[in-house]
Amino acid sequence: MKHDGYNEFRQRGRFDFPIEFHHVDRHHPRFYMPYHWHMEYEIDLVVRGSVTLTLNESQVHAEAGDIIFIRDGVVHGGHPETTDTIYDCIVFDMKKMLAGSHTFQDRIEDVLKHVTLINKYLPASTPDIPRLIQHLFRSMKEEHTGYELVVTGLLYTFFGFIFQQGLYHEAASLPLREHRRKRITQLKQTFQLIDSQYQQPLTLTDLARAANLSPNYFCRFFQKITHHIPIDYLNRYRIEMACLKLTHTNDSITEIAFSCGFNDVSYFIRLFRRYKETSPRKYKQLMKEGK
């Protein structure tokens, strides 16, 4: 079973074509996106419904046709607003794919160094870009002969439109950036603890200690960023890990419940129904049937 941790250090796509495509609907094990970060860039397209994502300390709400751009190192996660929501995303190593041309090297370098920040939210009404992104995602999904050239060209065109239309801004002053980075780093430490120890009986004190904060302040800070109280979020993450195991292993429901940090199978099933609107057994059958 492939496990995608909060800090996703792994090869994207192929070595010579470092980009991945994901189609996410309600049956996808990570339909509710747990908070994580990676050192690649990400573009999300809402195909149907709507999603709300938190990117570091800001929240983005996107409807069908809207695009969310996520730069490297940003803690991001969230949830679809309805169970019929569908969203696609690509995750790519921008440096390997685009930082090779002397013609616009300075612009790309400014993006990579976070001097220039591309707007997080690109509405469906943005000229040219939504249609281009749909073409890019369709090319990744279908993988027709020569699609690598098409995808690379479309990424160049995407960034060209970004600069042409002024869909970017300059980064904040260095002291402010350092202050924000410190707060997000504290949160990342808690996410890392959840990722590595979710099978264990973690307490609020454990989560707060990982961020080097008092439990009371940690609760307020955590809820401000994630819009969940810490223990509720921990349980949601455990359910997402259970979904992965239901999809990729033959373990029993009881084995999966215990391996995901639940010591009461009945409680696990109740939580699963609350978050997934179906039972673990039915979810496993759906995944087996590929629906």
mmCIF file of all heavy atoms in Angstrom, residues 284-291:
data_model
loop_
_atom_site.group_PDB
_atom_site.id
_atom_site.type_symbol
_atom_site.label_atom_id
_atom_site.label_comp_id
_atom_site.label_asym_id
_atom_site.label_seq_id
_atom_site.Cartn_x
_atom_site.Cartn_y
_atom_site.Cartn_z
ATOM 1 N N LYS A 284 -15.502 -0.708 1.332
ATOM 2 C CA LYS A 284 -14.540 -1.660 0.783
ATOM 3 C C LYS A 284 -15.084 -2.308 -0.479
ATOM 4 O O LYS A 284 -14.351 -2.489 -1.462
ATOM 5 C CB LYS A 284 -14.215 -2.732 1.840
ATOM 6 C CG LYS A 284 -13.110 -3.701 1.443
ATOM 7 C CD LYS A 284 -12.838 -4.674 2.572
ATOM 8 C CE LYS A 284 -11.702 -5.625 2.207
ATOM 9 N NZ LYS A 284 -10.399 -4.920 2.130
ATOM 10 N N GLN A 285 -16.373 -2.653 -0.457
ATOM 11 C CA GLN A 285 -16.991 -3.271 -1.631
ATOM 12 C C GLN A 285 -17.025 -2.311 -2.808
ATOM 13 O O GLN A 285 -16.762 -2.707 -3.961
ATOM 14 C CB GLN A 285 -18.408 -3.722 -1.279
ATOM 15 C CG GLN A 285 -19.091 -4.516 -2.374
ATOM 16 C CD GLN A 285 -18.391 -5.825 -2.694
ATOM 17 O OE1 GLN A 285 -17.822 -6.446 -1.790
ATOM 18 N NE2 GLN A 285 -18.398 -6.235 -3.949
ATOM 19 N N LEU A 286 -17.337 -1.045 -2.554
ATOM 20 C CA LEU A 286 -17.331 -0.028 -3.613
ATOM 21 C C LEU A 286 -15.950 0.101 -4.247
ATOM 22 O O LEU A 286 -15.814 0.202 -5.471
ATOM 23 C CB LEU A 286 -17.780 1.313 -3.069
ATOM 24 C CG LEU A 286 -19.280 1.495 -2.813
ATOM 25 C CD1 LEU A 286 -19.533 2.780 -2.052
ATOM 26 C CD2 LEU A 286 -20.045 1.517 -4.133
ATOM 27 N N MET A 287 -14.925 0.120 -3.410
ATOM 28 C CA MET A 287 -13.560 0.244 -3.933
ATOM 29 C C MET A 287 -13.186 -1.004 -4.752
ATOM 30 O O MET A 287 -12.516 -0.898 -5.777
ATOM 31 C CB MET A 287 -12.569 0.426 -2.775
ATOM 32 C CG MET A 287 -12.709 1.722 -2.014
ATOM 33 S SD MET A 287 -12.492 3.209 -3.056
ATOM 34 C CE MET A 287 -14.199 3.666 -3.348
ATOM 35 N N LYS A 288 -13.625 -2.156 -4.300
ATOM 36 C CA LYS A 288 -13.334 -3.399 -5.023
ATOM 37 C C LYS A 288 -13.989 -3.425 -6.383
ATOM 38 O O LYS A 288 -13.427 -3.893 -7.377
ATOM 39 C CB LYS A 288 -13.811 -4.589 -4.187
ATOM 40 C CG LYS A 288 -13.449 -5.947 -4.769
ATOM 41 C CD LYS A 288 -13.906 -7.064 -3.840
ATOM 42 C CE LYS A 288 -13.552 -8.443 -4.424
ATOM 43 N NZ LYS A 288 -13.992 -9.528 -3.516
ATOM 44 N N GLU A 289 -15.205 -2.841 -6.446
ATOM 45 C CA GLU A 289 -15.941 -2.799 -7.714
ATOM 46 C C GLU A 289 -15.504 -1.656 -8.594
ATOM 47 O O GLU A 289 -15.908 -1.565 -9.752
ATOM 48 C CB GLU A 289 -17.448 -2.671 -7.412
ATOM 49 C CG GLU A 289 -18.019 -3.899 -6.707
ATOM 50 C CD GLU A 289 -19.445 -3.664 -6.237
ATOM 51 O OE1 GLU A 289 -19.937 -2.514 -6.398
ATOM 52 O OE2 GLU A 289 -20.066 -4.613 -5.715
ATOM 53 N N GLY A 290 -14.690 -0.754 -8.041
ATOM 54 C CA GLY A 290 -14.178 0.365 -8.820
ATOM 55 C C GLY A 290 -15.199 1.423 -9.110
ATOM 56 O O GLY A 290 -15.097 2.166 -10.092
ATOM 57 N N LYS A 291 -16.206 1.578 -8.257
ATOM 58 C CA LYS A 291 -17.273 2.551 -8.477
ATOM 59 C C LYS A 291 -16.921 3.869 -7.804
ATOM 60 O O LYS A 291 -16.203 3.911 -6.832
ATOM 61 C CB LYS A 291 -18.595 2.012 -7.908
ATOM 62 C CG LYS A 291 -19.120 0.827 -8.711
ATOM 63 C CD LYS A 291 -20.454 0.378 -8.167
ATOM 64 C CE LYS A 291 -21.003 -0.800 -8.958
ATOM 65 N NZ LYS A 291 -22.306 -1.255 -8.444
#
